[in-house]
Short mmCIF file of all heavy atoms in Angstrom, two decimals:
data_model
loop_
_atom_site.label_atom_id
_atom_site.label_comp_id
_atom_site.label_asym_id
_atom_site.label_seq_id
_atom_site.Cartn_x
_atom_site.Cartn_y
_atom_site.Cartn_z
N ARG A 95 3.26 23.01 17.08
CA ARG A 95 3.84 22.49 18.33
C ARG A 95 5.36 22.42 18.27
O ARG A 95 6.00 21.89 19.17
CB ARG A 95 3.28 21.09 18.60
CG ARG A 95 1.81 21.07 18.98
CD ARG A 95 1.34 19.66 19.32
NE ARG A 95 2.19 19.04 20.32
CZ ARG A 95 2.16 17.75 20.64
NH1 ARG A 95 1.32 16.94 20.01
NH2 ARG A 95 2.97 17.24 21.56
N ASN A 96 5.93 22.98 17.19
CA ASN A 96 7.39 22.97 17.00
C ASN A 96 7.98 21.56 17.00
O ASN A 96 9.10 21.33 17.49
CB ASN A 96 8.10 23.81 18.08
CG ASN A 96 7.76 25.28 17.94
OD1 ASN A 96 7.76 25.81 16.83
ND2 ASN A 96 7.45 25.93 19.04
N LEU A 97 7.23 20.60 16.46
CA LEU A 97 7.73 19.24 16.34
C LEU A 97 8.63 19.14 15.10
O LEU A 97 8.37 19.79 14.09
CB LEU A 97 6.57 18.24 16.21
CG LEU A 97 5.65 18.11 17.43
CD1 LEU A 97 4.46 17.21 17.11
CD2 LEU A 97 6.42 17.56 18.63
N PHE A 98 9.65 18.34 15.19
CA PHE A 98 10.56 18.11 14.07
C PHE A 98 10.01 16.94 13.26
O PHE A 98 10.08 15.79 13.67
CB PHE A 98 11.97 17.80 14.60
CG PHE A 98 12.92 17.31 13.56
CD1 PHE A 98 12.98 17.88 12.29
CD2 PHE A 98 13.78 16.25 13.85
CE1 PHE A 98 13.87 17.42 11.34
CE2 PHE A 98 14.68 15.79 12.90
CZ PHE A 98 14.72 16.37 11.63
N SER A 99 9.40 17.25 12.11
CA SER A 99 8.71 16.20 11.35
C SER A 99 9.48 15.79 10.11
O SER A 99 10.18 16.59 9.49
CB SER A 99 7.30 16.66 10.97
OG SER A 99 7.35 17.81 10.16
N LEU A 100 9.34 14.51 9.78
CA LEU A 100 9.92 13.92 8.57
C LEU A 100 8.77 13.29 7.79
O LEU A 100 8.02 12.47 8.34
CB LEU A 100 10.95 12.85 8.92
CG LEU A 100 12.17 13.29 9.71
CD1 LEU A 100 12.93 12.08 10.26
CD2 LEU A 100 13.09 14.10 8.82
N ASP A 101 8.63 13.66 6.54
CA ASP A 101 7.50 13.19 5.74
C ASP A 101 7.91 11.98 4.90
O ASP A 101 8.66 12.11 3.94
CB ASP A 101 6.99 14.32 4.84
CG ASP A 101 5.68 13.95 4.15
OD1 ASP A 101 5.21 12.82 4.35
OD2 ASP A 101 5.14 14.80 3.42
N ALA A 102 7.42 10.80 5.30
CA ALA A 102 7.75 9.57 4.54
C ALA A 102 6.62 9.19 3.57
O ALA A 102 6.56 8.05 3.11
CB ALA A 102 8.02 8.42 5.51
N THR A 103 5.75 10.14 3.26
CA THR A 103 4.67 9.87 2.29
C THR A 103 5.27 9.37 0.98
O THR A 103 6.21 9.97 0.45
CB THR A 103 3.85 11.14 2.03
OG1 THR A 103 3.30 11.61 3.25
CG2 THR A 103 2.72 10.87 1.04
N CYS A 104 4.69 8.29 0.45
CA CYS A 104 5.16 7.78 -0.85
C CYS A 104 5.00 8.87 -1.90
O CYS A 104 3.93 9.51 -1.98
CB CYS A 104 4.34 6.56 -1.25
SG CYS A 104 4.71 5.98 -2.91
N PRO A 105 6.02 9.12 -2.72
CA PRO A 105 5.92 10.15 -3.76
C PRO A 105 4.74 9.93 -4.72
O PRO A 105 4.22 10.90 -5.29
CB PRO A 105 7.25 10.05 -4.50
CG PRO A 105 8.20 9.51 -3.47
CD PRO A 105 7.39 8.56 -2.64
N LEU A 106 4.30 8.69 -4.90
CA LEU A 106 3.17 8.44 -5.79
C LEU A 106 1.85 8.84 -5.14
O LEU A 106 0.89 9.18 -5.83
CB LEU A 106 3.15 6.96 -6.21
CG LEU A 106 4.40 6.52 -6.98
CD1 LEU A 106 4.33 5.03 -7.31
CD2 LEU A 106 4.59 7.33 -8.26
N VAL A 107 1.81 8.83 -3.81
CA VAL A 107 0.64 9.37 -3.10
C VAL A 107 0.67 10.90 -3.16
O VAL A 107 -0.35 11.54 -3.40
CB VAL A 107 0.62 8.88 -1.63
CG1 VAL A 107 -0.51 9.56 -0.85
CG2 VAL A 107 0.46 7.36 -1.59
N THR A 108 1.86 11.47 -2.99
CA THR A 108 2.01 12.92 -3.10
C THR A 108 1.56 13.41 -4.47
O THR A 108 0.94 14.48 -4.60
CB THR A 108 3.48 13.33 -2.84
OG1 THR A 108 3.85 12.86 -1.54
CG2 THR A 108 3.66 14.83 -2.91
N LYS A 109 1.84 12.62 -5.49
CA LYS A 109 1.39 12.95 -6.86
C LYS A 109 -0.13 13.10 -6.91
O LYS A 109 -0.66 14.05 -7.52
CB LYS A 109 1.86 11.86 -7.83
CG LYS A 109 1.21 11.87 -9.22
CD LYS A 109 1.68 10.67 -10.03
CE LYS A 109 0.87 10.47 -11.29
NZ LYS A 109 -0.46 9.86 -11.08
N VAL A 110 -0.85 12.20 -6.26
CA VAL A 110 -2.31 12.27 -6.23
C VAL A 110 -2.76 13.53 -5.48
O VAL A 110 -3.69 14.22 -5.90
CB VAL A 110 -2.91 11.00 -5.59
CG1 VAL A 110 -4.43 11.11 -5.45
CG2 VAL A 110 -2.54 9.76 -6.41
N HIS A 111 -2.08 13.83 -4.37
CA HIS A 111 -2.40 15.06 -3.62
C HIS A 111 -2.27 16.29 -4.52
O HIS A 111 -3.13 17.18 -4.50
CB HIS A 111 -1.46 15.21 -2.42
CG HIS A 111 -1.67 14.19 -1.35
ND1 HIS A 111 -0.89 14.15 -0.21
CD2 HIS A 111 -2.55 13.17 -1.24
CE1 HIS A 111 -1.30 13.14 0.55
NE2 HIS A 111 -2.29 12.53 -0.05
N ARG A 112 -1.19 16.33 -5.28
CA ARG A 112 -0.95 17.50 -6.17
C ARG A 112 -2.02 17.58 -7.25
O ARG A 112 -2.50 18.66 -7.59
CB ARG A 112 0.44 17.39 -6.80
CG ARG A 112 1.57 17.65 -5.81
CD ARG A 112 2.90 17.83 -6.53
NE ARG A 112 3.98 17.98 -5.58
CZ ARG A 112 5.05 17.18 -5.52
NH1 ARG A 112 5.17 16.17 -6.38
NH2 ARG A 112 6.00 17.38 -4.64
N GLU A 113 -2.38 16.44 -7.82
CA GLU A 113 -3.43 16.43 -8.85
C GLU A 113 -4.73 16.99 -8.29
O GLU A 113 -5.39 17.82 -8.94
CB GLU A 113 -3.68 14.99 -9.34
CG GLU A 113 -2.59 14.42 -10.22
CD GLU A 113 -2.76 12.92 -10.43
OE1 GLU A 113 -3.69 12.33 -9.84
OE2 GLU A 113 -1.96 12.34 -11.19
#
Side-chain angles (χ1 to χ4, degrees):
R95 290 183 54 192
N96 293 316
L97 295 174
F98 169 42
S99 61
L100 298 167
D101 189 358
T103 302
C104 174
L106 299 178
V107 174
T108 302
K109 166 185 169 283
V110 175
H111 292 178
R112 288 193 184 121
E113 287 169 356

